[in-house]
Amino acid sequence: MSDTVATAHPVHEQHAEQGFWRTYVFSTDHKMIGRQFLFLGLFMLVIGGLLAMMVRWQLAWPETPVPGLGAIPEPYTYGGIIPPQTYNALFTMHATIMIFFVVMPIMVGAFGNFLIPLMIGTRDMAFPRLNMLSFWVGALSGAVMLASFFVPGGPAAGGWTAYATLSAKESYTGVGWGQDLWIISLIISGASSLMGAVNYITTIVNMRAPGMSYFRMPLTIWSLFITAVLLLLALPVLTAALAMLLFDRTMGTSFFLPENGGEPLLWQHMFWFFGHPEVYILVLPAMGVTSDLLSTFSRKPVFGYRAMAFSMIAIAFLSWLVWGHHMFVSGMNPLLGTAFMMTTMVIAVPSAIKTFNWLGTLWGGSIRFAGPMLFALGFVSNFVIGGLSGIFMASTPVDIFIHDTYYIVAHFHYVVAGIIFALFAAVYYWFPKMFGRMMHEGLAKIHFVFTYIFFNLTFFPMHFLGVAGHMRRIYNPLQYEFLKPMQDWNVFITVSAFLLALGQIPFVVNFVWSLAAGKKAERNPWCANTLEWTAPSPPPHGNFEVQPVVYRGPYEYSSPDAAEDWLPQNRPLAGAAARAH
Amino acid sequence: MLRWLPEDVSTYGGEIDALFYLIYYITAATFLLVTVLMVVFLIAYRARDGRRATYSHGNTTLEIIWTIVPAAILVVLSFMSVSTWAKVKRETPPTDFEVGVNAKQFNWEISYPGPDGRLGTADDVKFDNDMHVPVNRIVRLHITSSDVIHSFFMPNLRFKQDAVPGRTVIGWFEATKPGRYELPCAELCGFGHSGMKGWLYVDSAEDYAKWAAEHLSPKPQ
């Protein structure tokens, strides 16, 4: 194993003390890069959340001034009233930012970077400088995306799916520069993710500690590994599509414009061929983290570890065969609809396996309700709703009615916004390792209760709106006679969304306060088995004092071989127990 | 029981709604099962002094059961969906009643055959946002768009079909109850997307004849 480390890591990075810039800004330390991604993602979360609040205000009280928005000049607002064009930009940017600049940077960028070397027991990523470049290219793409708010015509307003032909011509949306910057930003962001993916795959394949076989890897690492493979294969497709769109917009090509022989549905096929695996890129790390946390806080091995790993592989494989379920009413051949329905129904099975195995992990446990555990349980409970509501649109005839309604918005917020629970679980759980201090448990619990209640009060009623036929992306529901009786729900959802946002204050307070003055963390505050907890908190550049050697899988909780209810992966057993293993 | 679907006035909407409710009951039951189990486990297996968690890595029989049961349910749902889907989207029943829908920012342009009796010719009669059809008659729609993708949505008829520039998609419906129904656009189509709506008038046979005589017949010169 050490030979492999040497070849994959030819120029050994400095692990000695370094100056301010090399430590905090242009760091090649995977842990600092992880923290940088975390801060980037949390910053963008605030922006993405504020955009959502404005969208919700407009839907509850259409065409009334948003408090505090009056300062923004015409034509972006009229004395605080959001015009339709701005409204379209708001939800477009909300979705783009949340997906590409919050969930991906935090779940994949922050925790992927921070955890992979620590959990597999190595000193750093395979390519530390590429890793640094990945962060700074990602930050650049975020800056380009934010810059689009300040160009003439405003930011992109064609939806995060940017369906051609709407997105392909300035005359259709009135957005020029903003849409171009959106495309350029996502191409740059794709480059950043590719660098990360190459790094993750190389590191996991080549640099695992002695004894760390694939089936001794924590499920978090499995999920990040599979996610990296999906990233590697999906992002080039998006990048190709984006390049074609940019050519259509700026160079007079006609990939998606029918007047010169282009095909608008080609965009949708390419977009969703990327876009559906993308959903799993977002949700797989959340599943991995949840599996680890349920095991740790139930003091019990993961139920069916191999089935959990294989079902993630199955999800990843099948994710390439289901993109057409976004296109049942798009005008593609209805025969394809039948085929995509079958594959979509099949992909529900591995998700069901994961859910039941999580229940099996809780069964017979000794469950501790610490902050991270509460959020992990919250993820499971919301994922169940999001998974089950997906079956409705998998059925082609039912999808005819609920397609493009708020039902879809409800469904994907339960899945994708539900990831925020796994995200918070991960922050609370690994904060001690990342920053060397504990977060406040009481504030974490308050944060959980508010988030869980108002998350559900915000997103569950969206199902009702969708079933009533409420279209998504409409500016003013009161323009429709058949929606007027449902307007009270829009007000209810908006009030809940505001309370959900306010419910994040305990987190912000906790995060900032704990960074500065939290209780000093021990090496292993949760009594967990995985290797990152054998390193100091926070680990120094280079991670481990001695190279860890792995003797067993990560989930040996409450094993009869050990006196305590945990058994770290690197602890050798003496006597009979050792021979039995 | 959820009863918020808009009133169905189509011949095939009942089948779609029945599938909807079937999935609704299955998913609701699954949700209850999972949630109750989870709550029971959380209470029964909360950490207490002196009790150690069960040391178990799983149970293959259980795992096989909860793989096969959902798979079977999903396969059955797929096969049940196939015939309805084929009826709605794949096979148009024979009819001589044809209406053109051309979507554009931000209107529905509805066209009827002119004196030559054929759709898509120069003498077509066109209306903005108003569509009249007789009750209990199969209507074949020719849906297209002249700029961006729109989606022709008739909530009360359980009908939705994207209007794609550069291609004409065929759709059909048969309304069973006279009335006036809204025709929103369901696909984001620009700043005027919200408010891009028309009205579908389902007329009795006599009312339709009267309207057609007034609007579709060649005007006396």
Side-chain angles (χ1 to χ4, degrees):
Chain A
M1 187 58 63
S2 56
D3 290 345
T4 346
V5 173
T7 45
H9 208 170
V11 188
H12 214 279
E13 291 295 317
Q14 282 284 329
H15 289 157
E17 281 291 309
Q18 292 180 318
F20 173 84
W21 286 94
R22 294 288 293 176
T23 309
Y24 295 103
V25 185
F26 298 106
S27 173
T28 52
D29 179 1
H30 71 98
K31 298 181 294 296
M32 185 53 70
I33 295 167
R35 291 181 203 116
Q36 288 171 325
F37 269 114
L38 179 67
F39 289 125
L40 173 74
L42 290 175
F43 169 71
M44 295 298 252
L45 177 60
V46 175
I47 295 173
L50 287 175
L51 297 175
M53 293 303 114
M54 287 186 259
V55 168
R56 280 317 314 176
W57 179 282
Q58 166 63 21
L59 287 169
W61 304 289
E63 297 174 65
T64 58
V66 182
L69 217 62
I72 295 171
E74 293 179 15
Y76 302 112
T77 72
Y78 293 89
I81 294 175
I82 299 168
Q85 181 66 10
T86 303
Y87 176 81
N88 289 356
L90 287 175
F91 67 69
T92 300
M93 295 304 280
H94 161 70
T96 307
I97 287 175
M98 287 301 195
I99 290 167
F100 291 97
F101 297 100
V102 177
V103 177
M104 283 172 80
I106 297 182
M107 294 308 289
V108 187
F111 289 107
N113 264 309
F114 188 80
L115 294 175
I116 288 174
L118 280 168
M119 283 182 126
I120 65 171
T122 186
R123 295 168 69 78
D124 207 323
M125 285 283 179
F127 312 113
R129 290 174 203 206
L130 190 70
N131 210 13
M132 171 174 79
L133 189 62
S134 158
F135 172 76
W136 284 107
V137 169
L140 171 69
S141 93
V144 172
M145 188 58 78
L146 292 182
S148 74
F149 279 100
F150 303 98
V151 296
W160 87 276
T161 54
Y163 275 9
T165 55
L166 181 67
S167 58
K169 263 195 189 176
E170 186 173 342
S171 58
Y172 290 149
T173 49
V175 179
W177 268 87
Q179 189 76 40
D180 294 335
L181 288 179
W182 184 89
I183 293 170
I184 291 163
S185 165
L186 290 189
I187 291 176
I188 301 173
S189 157
S192 157
S193 297
L194 274 188
M195 291 182 228
V198 168
N199 228 333
Y200 292 5
I201 294 169
T202 312
T203 307
I204 293 172
V205 169
N206 292 305
M207 294 169 66
R208 282 167 287 123
M212 178 65 87
S213 63
Y214 282 107
F215 284 106
R216 281 181 181 171
M217 295 198 307
L219 286 168
T220 296
I221 298 302
W222 263 110
S223 72
L224 289 163
F225 184 40
I226 296 165
T227 299
V229 174
L230 286 180
L231 277 168
L232 193 68
L233 300 175
L235 280 165
V237 180
L238 176 70
T239 303
L242 288 167
M244 288 154 81
L245 187 61
L246 193 62
F247 293 163
D248 273 10
R249 288 180 61 83
T250 58
M251 296 185 196
T253 59
S254 195
F255 292 107
F256 307 122
L257 294 166
E259 54 266 35
N260 296 315
E263 172 56 85
L265 290 191
L266 175 62
W267 169 264
Q268 293 185 30
H269 280 294
M270 293 184 81
F271 182 84
W272 289 117
F273 188 73
F274 147 80
H276 203 82
E278 168 72 11
V279 175
Y280 295 104
I281 288 169
L282 301 173
V283 82
L284 280 171
M287 290 174 154
V289 166
T290 299
S291 305
D292 276 11
L293 265 58
L294 289 190
S295 171
T296 304
F297 289 97
S298 300
R299 315 309 293 167
K300 222 181 140 254
V302 161
F303 197 96
Y305 167 81
R306 275 177 190 250
M308 293 297 253
F310 282 123
S311 59
M312 286 197 284
I313 294 171
I315 287 173
F317 177 75
L318 290 168
S319 74
W320 300 101
L321 306 176
V322 297
W323 81 90
H325 69 214
H326 297 269
M327 298 172 65
F328 287 154
V329 297
S330 70
M332 75 174 180
N333 190 324
L335 201 56
L336 281 173
T338 306
F340 280 118
M341 171 173 66
M342 296 293 183
T343 54
T344 303
M345 293 284 189
V346 171
I347 205 172
V349 175
S351 301
I353 296 173
K354 296 200 76 73
T355 306
F356 288 119
N357 279 9
W358 285 329
L359 282 182
T361 306
L362 295 175
W363 169 80
S366 174
I367 301 167
R368 277 128 216 228
F369 295 97
M373 179 62 165
L374 291 174
F375 277 95
L377 292 167
F379 171 78
V380 173
S381 113
N382 292 323
F383 181 78
V384 168
I385 297 178
L388 290 171
S389 67
I391 297 173
F392 287 81
M393 53 275 251
S395 167
T396 42
V398 178
D399 181 72
I400 295 172
F401 181 74
I402 59 177
H403 193 87
D404 272 326
T405 67
Y406 254 84
Y407 194 93
I408 308 294
V409 180
H411 162 73
F412 69 65
H413 278 93
Y414 264 98
V415 178
V416 178
I419 294 170
I420 203 95
F421 283 85
L423 189 158
F424 283 131
V427 171
Y428 284 115
Y429 183 66
W430 281 295
F431 190 92
K433 191 54 63 184
M434 280 183 130
F435 300 105
R437 292 178 186 274
M438 302 299 290
M439 288 183 85
H440 190 272
E441 265 294 311
L443 280 172
K445 282 175 179 149
I446 294 170
H447 176 219
F448 171 75
V449 171
F450 271 89
T451 307
Y452 187 78
I453 291 175
F454 292 113
F455 178 92
N456 280 286
L457 292 183
T458 300
F459 296 113
F460 203 81
M462 290 184 185
H463 293 109
F464 309 153
L465 287 175
V467 170
H470 192 308
M471 293 77 68
R472 62 194 281 210
R473 294 169 168 174
I474 54 170
Y475 166 68
N476 182 349
L478 296 179
Q479 286 169 311
Y480 301 89
E481 297 300 323
F482 78 108
L483 294 181
K484 280 183 183 161
M486 300 300 288
Q487 185 58 18
D488 287 349
W489 278 116
N490 267 323
V491 176
F492 181 88
I493 290 168
T494 297
V495 173
S496 305
F498 289 158
L499 292 171
L500 175 62
L502 288 180
Q504 306 314 303
I505 291 174
F507 174 74
V508 176
V509 171
N510 197 352
F511 192 88
V512 174
W513 176 83
S514 300
L515 266 184
K519 188 162 69 87
K520 285 255 186 269
E522 301 156 31
R523 206 171 264 251
N524 191 355
W526 312 111
C527 299
N529 288 347
T530 40
L531 292 180
E532 78 272 27
W533 302 106
T534 64
S537 297
H541 205 164
N543 295 343
F544 300 97
E545 294 104 330
V546 287
Q547 166 72 61
V549 177
V550 174
Y551 295 96
R552 62 186 61 77
Y555 301 117
E556 295 301 302
Y557 291 106
S558 305
S559 160
D561 290 339
E564 308 97 336
D565 65 355
W566 54 297
L567 190 49
Q569 285 189 275
N570 67 341
R571 186 189 297 167
L573 280 181
R579 283 190 297 278
H581 269 255
Chain B
M1 172 97 183
L2 191 66
R3 277 288 178 210
W4 290 343
L5 284 161
E7 185 192 10
D8 164 45
V9 298
S10 70
T11 47
Y12 50 60
E15 276 181 50
I16 294 177
D17 293 359
L19 269 170
F20 176 90
Y21 285 116
L22 176 67
I23 298 174
Y24 174 57
Y25 291 129
I26 292 174
T27 52
T30 314
F31 172 72
L32 280 179
L33 173 78
V34 172
T35 307
V36 167
L37 280 178
M38 193 162 145
V39 171
V40 167
F41 289 174
L42 291 182
I43 295 170
Y45 301 115
R46 66 190 185 279
R48 274 164 296 180
D49 285 342
R51 198 181 60 80
R52 215 170 146 126
T54 317
Y55 180 73
S56 153
H57 283 275
N59 180 321
T60 312
T61 318
L62 268 178
E63 289 195 75
I64 290 172
I65 291 173
W66 66 50
T67 306
I68 288 179
V69 172
I73 293 174
L74 291 165
V75 167
V76 170
L77 277 180
S78 297
F79 282 106
M80 293 183 70
S81 300
V82 167
S83 59
T84 309
W85 173 250
K87 181 187 274 183
V88 180
K89 289 286 181 196
R90 282 180 57 199
E91 304 147 11
T92 316
T95 176
D96 58 354
F97 195 95
E98 318 238 2
V99 181
V101 175
N102 179 33
K104 51 187 187 180
Q105 290 179 321
F106 298 97
N107 276 316
W108 299 114
E109 188 182 76
I110 311 291
S111 51
Y112 292 82
D116 67 354
R118 286 186 307 158
L119 197 63
T121 53
D123 67 347
D124 284 359
V125 188
K126 294 184 178 178
F127 302 91
D128 266 346
N129 296 323
D130 281 347
M131 181 156 139
H132 283 260
V133 298
V135 72
N136 295 327
R137 182 119 174 239
I138 291 164
V139 182
R140 185 190 281 132
L141 297 171
H142 299 248
I143 303 168
T144 188
S145 164
S146 46
D147 38 52
V148 304
I149 295 172
H150 303 263
S151 189
F152 192 67
F153 183 24
M154 297 188 283
N156 298 91
L157 291 137
R158 307 294 186 265
F159 182 94
K160 187 179 286 139
Q161 178 59 56
D162 284 5
V164 186
R167 62 169 64 202
T168 301
V169 186
I170 304 295
W172 75 278
F173 69 94
E174 182 182 350
T176 56
K177 188 178 160 194
R180 190 177 85 128
Y181 306 101
E182 261 167 321
L183 290 180
C185 173
E187 186 70 75
L188 176 69
C189 59
F191 63 85
H193 165 58
S194 180
M196 175 170 169
K197 64 163 192 174
W199 292 98
L200 168 71
Y201 297 86
V202 177
D203 299 330
S204 65
E206 307 84 68
D207 285 351
Y208 182 77
K210 213 163 79 186
W211 177 83
E214 209 172 301
H215 292 91
L216 297 182
S217 325
K219 296 270 185 297
Q221 296 299 318

